[in-house]
Amino acid sequence: MTDKTAFIRDEVQALKDQGLYNTIRTIEGPQGAHLTVDGREVLNFCSNNYLGLANDARLVEAAKGALARYGVGPGAVRTIAGTMILHTELESALARFKGVDATISFQSGFVANLAVIPALVGAGDVIISDELNHASIVDGVRLAKAARKIYPHNDVAALRERLAEARAEGANRILTITDGVFSMDGDLAPLDRIVDAADEFDAMVMVDDAHGEGVVGRGGRGIVDHFGLHGRVDVEVGTMSKAFGAVGGYVAGSNELIEWLRQRGRPFLFSSAVTPPDVAACLAAVGILDASTELVDRLWSNAAVFKAMMTSYGFDLGSSDTPITPVMLGEEHLAREFSRRLLEDRAVFAQAISFPTVPRGKARIRVMISAAHSERDLEDGATAFAAVGRELGVVP
Amino acid sequence: MSFPDIDRRGTRRLRWIWALFVAPVVAAIALVVVVAPSQPDGSAVWFTVVVVLAAVVDFAGVFWIRWVGAEAILSLDSNDEIRVAYLRRMVLSCAFAVTPALLAFAFVFAAGTTEVFLGVAAAALLLLAYAGPRSSDIELLDDRMVDAGRSFRVSAALDS
Ligand SMILES: Cc1ncc(COP(=O)(O)O)c(C=O)c1O
C-alpha cells in the first residue's frame, strides 16, 4: 500500500531545507512583561498584549465570575442557542466604545474577516486590497467570488486607478480593504485619503484594525477615531486577542451591516460562539479602556522611551507610527542570529521576522512594546539589543 | 488613437504587448483568406512536414516556458523582479506560439499549403489566448503564492 501522506513529510522537509520551518516555543506561565520559556524567565518583546490585559486581575476575576454564572460553553452556534446575554452585552459595550451603531462578535479577528468579506461582495463585484493586507483578509478575499485588484502598499494614487478601472469595467459593488496598522512595519494606512478615494467612486471601505484597536485613536478607539472618520468607514474589523488581552473578533458598523452579518456571516451561523469566560474578560477589557486612557497612554510613552533609547544606540527602526518597533537588520541569518543571542545570552525574547513574511533583505526583529513593561524592562531590553548589536557589528 | 503606454500601471499595458503578437497572425489569416493562393505544387509535403514539426516543438515550448516561468515567478520576491519575470514568460511563450504560424505563412505562397497554414494559425491563436495576460492565470499564480504563505504578490507586482 502506498503512503498516502508521504507528501507531508516531503513538504515539511522542503520547509526545513529552505529555512521556512516554524519552530514554536512553549510559554510556561501567563502572558506579561516577563515569560517563562523553556524553564527560563525572559523579558517578553513578542506578544500583542499591548496593554498588559492578558493577565490583568480584573479580566481574570470577570472570567471567573462568568464561569461560575454561565459555565464554560456557549452550547451551540449563536443563531440556535449560543447567544448568551454576555455576547449581546459585549456587542453593545463595543458599539458604545467605538461610537458606531452596532457590532457583532466572532470567534476571532481572522474569522471576522472570513465572515464579512464574502457577505459583502460576490460575482460581478470587485475587491481592491492593499498588497500587504493580513492573511485573514487574503483568505476572505479568496472565499468571495468577486474579482480582485491589488494596489501597492498604502499607494492611494494606485488605489484610485484600480477604483476607476473597476468602475470602467462595470463592477457592481466595490469593496476597498486595508489593514489599519500594518503589523510588520507598524505603519498606519492613510485611511483619510483612502476614504476620500473610495467615496469618489462610490466604493465601500473596510478596515481591519486588529493592531489599532486599543492602541491608536482616543483612548485606543482605533484608526477610524484617529482620523476622525466616524460614519465614513463602512466596516471596521477588530480583534479582542491583542490590546484587549483575551480572544475573539468583531465587526463594527451600521445597524444594517450588523443585521446582514447575523443573517449571512457564515462563521456566525455555523460555528459556535466564544465561551462565557472569554466574553466576560473582553467585556471587562472594554470597560477598562472606556473608563481610563491610562494604559494606552503608558503604552505610547513606553514606546517613545524604548524607541529613543534604540535610536540613540544607532538602530534603524524603520517607519513605524505605532508601538510596534521593527529593528531593521536586513539579512535573514543576521536577524535569526540576533534573536538567538538575545534569547540565549540575554534572556530577551524577541522574534526574528524574515522572508516570506517580509521581503528578502528586510529581515528584522519586531519588538512589541506593552504597557506592562516597566521602565527597567525597557532599559534592560535596549541594553541587551545594544550589546548584541555591537557583537554582531550592527551598531557602533 | 493614443500610442499604447506600456509603462502605465496595471495589467492593461500587458494586453498591448500581447496584441503585438496576435495582430500579425490575424493579418496573415486575413490575407490568405482574401488572396486564396494557388494549388500546392510537388514540394507541399515537405513544407508541411517542416511546418508541422516546427509547430509541435514550438507549441510544446509554450507550455514549457510557462511552467518554468511560473516556478521562477514563485521564487521571486520584489515587485520589480516578479513583473519582469511575468513579462518575460508572457512574451517568450507568445513568441513561441506565433513562430510556426509565421513560418507556415511564408510557405503558403511558395508551396500553396493554405490548409496547413490555417490549421497552425488557428492553433497559434488558441495558444496566444492561453499564454496572454489572463486574469485567471494571474489569480492561479497568486493562489500558489498564498498557499506558500505569501500574499497576492503577482497581482501586486503587475499593478505596481
Ligand atoms: C491585521 C490582522 N487581522 C487579523 C488578525 C487575526 O486576529 P485574531 O488573532 O483575533 O484571529 C491579525 C492577527 O495577527 C492581524 O494582524
Side-chain angles (χ1 to χ4, degrees):
Chain A
M1 214 173 99
T2 58
D3 182 354
K4 288 177 283 186
T5 53
F7 75 95
I8 296 175
R9 212 175 313 123
D10 297 343
E11 294 284 346
V12 167
Q13 192 53 48
L15 288 178
K16 287 181 176 164
D17 294 345
Q18 294 160 32
L20 300 177
Y21 185 81
N22 267 330
T23 310
I24 301 168
R25 294 197 193 270
T26 308
I27 314 293
E28 301 139 14
Q31 283 292 334
H34 298 264
L35 296 175
T36 311
V37 180
D38 302 331
R40 272 173 80 213
E41 191 187 300
V42 297
L43 176 59
N44 177 19
F45 274 158
C46 282
S47 75
N48 300 323
N49 181 20
Y50 287 108
L51 302 177
L53 291 175
N55 189 34
D56 186 283
R58 293 163 288 184
L59 272 69
V60 173
E61 280 312 308
K64 280 187 192 161
L67 264 180
R69 204 156 158 210
Y70 299 100
V72 287
V77 301
R78 288 187 54 187
T79 44
I80 296 177
T83 296
M84 298 176 147
I85 189 157
L86 275 175
H87 293 112
T88 58
E89 278 175 15
L90 174 62
E91 287 166 346
S92 309
L94 274 171
R96 275 195 306 278
F97 178 69
K98 298 284 301 166
V100 292
D101 285 355
T103 69
I104 178 172
S105 68
F106 288 95
Q107 298 84 348
S108 73
F110 198 111
V111 165
N113 279 326
L114 298 189
V116 71
I117 299 171
L120 291 180
V121 284
D125 302 330
V126 173
I127 298 168
I128 309 186
S129 175
D130 187 289
E131 66 173 315
L132 296 189
N133 277 344
H134 187 255
S136 53
I137 294 176
V138 168
D139 283 7
V141 170
R142 290 215 291 180
L143 271 180
K145 297 277 182 288
R148 61 198 187 211
K149 293 179 185 289
I150 311 298
Y151 63 94
H153 178 51
N154 279 352
D155 184 342
V156 180
L159 164 64
R160 198 174 254 111
E161 283 180 35
R162 300 286 95 75
L163 285 161
E165 266 172 33
R167 275 285 162 248
E169 289 160 7
N172 182 19
R173 290 191 286 270
I174 305 178
L175 176 65
T176 301
I177 312 179
T178 181
D179 279 13
V181 174
F182 289 85
S183 61
M184 292 304 145
D185 289 293
D187 54 334
L188 287 179
L191 194 61
D192 48 349
R193 290 186 290 127
I194 289 174
V195 168
D196 287 343
D199 280 352
E200 227 176 276
F201 294 93
D202 208 14
M204 295 179 281
V205 176
M206 164 174 163
V207 60
D208 173 357
D209 208 16
H211 285 270
E213 299 292 359
V215 176
V216 301
R218 287 171 305 142
R221 281 167 175 75
I223 190 167
V224 171
D225 187 86
H226 171 83
F227 283 108
L229 294 168
H230 296 279
R232 293 187 64 199
V233 173
D234 304 281
V235 185
E236 276 183 85
V237 173
T239 176
M240 308 304 293
S241 69
K242 302 187 193 298
F244 290 95
V247 73
Y250 64 90
V251 175
S254 67
N255 283 321
E256 278 142 32
L257 171 74
I258 303 310
E259 184 186 11
W260 179 237
L261 292 176
R262 287 203 190 103
Q263 303 303 317
R264 279 290 178 273
R266 290 174 66 81
F268 181 82
L269 297 169
F270 301 114
S271 177
S272 291
V274 173
T275 68
D278 288 322
V279 181
C282 294
L283 248 172
V286 177
I288 291 169
L289 265 84
D290 220 358
S292 156
T293 64
E294 185 197 333
L295 288 176
V296 180
D297 296 343
R298 194 183 314 150
L299 167 67
W300 283 90
S301 75
N302 275 358
V305 166
F306 184 76
K307 284 180 180 178
M309 285 191 282
M310 292 292 280
T311 309
S312 75
Y313 284 127
F315 284 105
D316 171 5
L317 302 183
S319 55
S320 173
D321 307 311
T322 61
I324 296 171
T325 308
V327 181
M328 307 303 288
L329 295 168
E331 293 308 317
E332 345 252 90
H333 66 268
L334 175 61
R336 226 170 295 133
E337 178 61 14
F338 205 116
S339 168
R340 191 190 66 75
R341 288 195 192 191
L342 279 173
L343 184 64
E344 288 173 12
D345 305 346
R346 315 269 163 190
V348 172
F349 188 31
Q351 199 80 41
I353 297 189
S354 53
F355 182 82
T357 310
V358 293
R360 280 202 188 90
K362 293 248 173 92
R364 67 202 60 185
I365 291 183
R366 188 180 60 160
V367 176
M368 301 302 276
I369 298 296
S370 166
H373 289 124
S374 67
E375 220 160 285
R376 173 81 196 276
D377 292 333
L378 301 172
E379 255 172 52
D380 289 351
T383 312
F385 263 90
V388 175
R390 280 186 215 109
E391 282 168 27
L392 293 172
V394 175
V395 291
Chain B
M1 200 188 105
S2 62
F3 189 75
D5 175 9
I6 58 172
D7 281 335
R8 91 180 265 298
R9 286 171 191 277
T11 42
R12 217 174 286 170
R13 65 185 161 186
L14 299 173
R15 301 216 175 92
W16 282 112
I17 297 170
W18 179 70
L20 297 178
F21 291 98
V22 177
V25 179
V26 172
I29 292 173
L31 194 71
V32 168
V33 168
V34 170
V35 175
S38 58
Q39 293 306 301
D41 64 17
S43 56
V45 174
W46 284 109
F47 284 118
T48 302
V49 169
V50 169
V51 166
V52 169
L53 270 180
V56 167
V57 172
D58 276 17
F59 289 166
V62 172
F63 293 93
W64 182 72
I65 288 163
R66 283 175 53 80
W67 180 71
V68 173
E71 297 305 312
I73 288 166
L74 295 172
S75 73
L76 293 171
D77 182 27
S78 80
N79 282 350
D80 286 348
E81 288 171 332
I82 292 173
R83 190 179 332 101
V84 167
Y86 182 89
L87 204 64
R88 191 175 291 153
R89 170 176 179 259
M90 189 191 92
V91 166
L92 267 179
S93 57
C94 287
F96 269 64
V98 161
T99 306
L102 299 184
L103 184 69
F105 176 69
F107 292 164
V108 167
F109 295 94
T113 47
T114 310
E115 283 79 14
V116 177
F117 163 73
L118 288 176
V120 171
L125 284 180
L126 280 178
L127 276 177
L128 279 172
Y130 168 68
R134 274 180 303 121
S135 46
S136 56
D137 180 38
I138 295 169
E139 280 181 13
L140 211 70
L141 290 169
D142 270 344
D143 281 335
R144 289 187 60 191
M145 282 276 187
V146 172
D147 291 340
R150 303 174 68 189
S151 59
F152 298 130
R153 295 248 36 95
V154 181
S155 295
L158 295 179
D159 284 347
S160 67

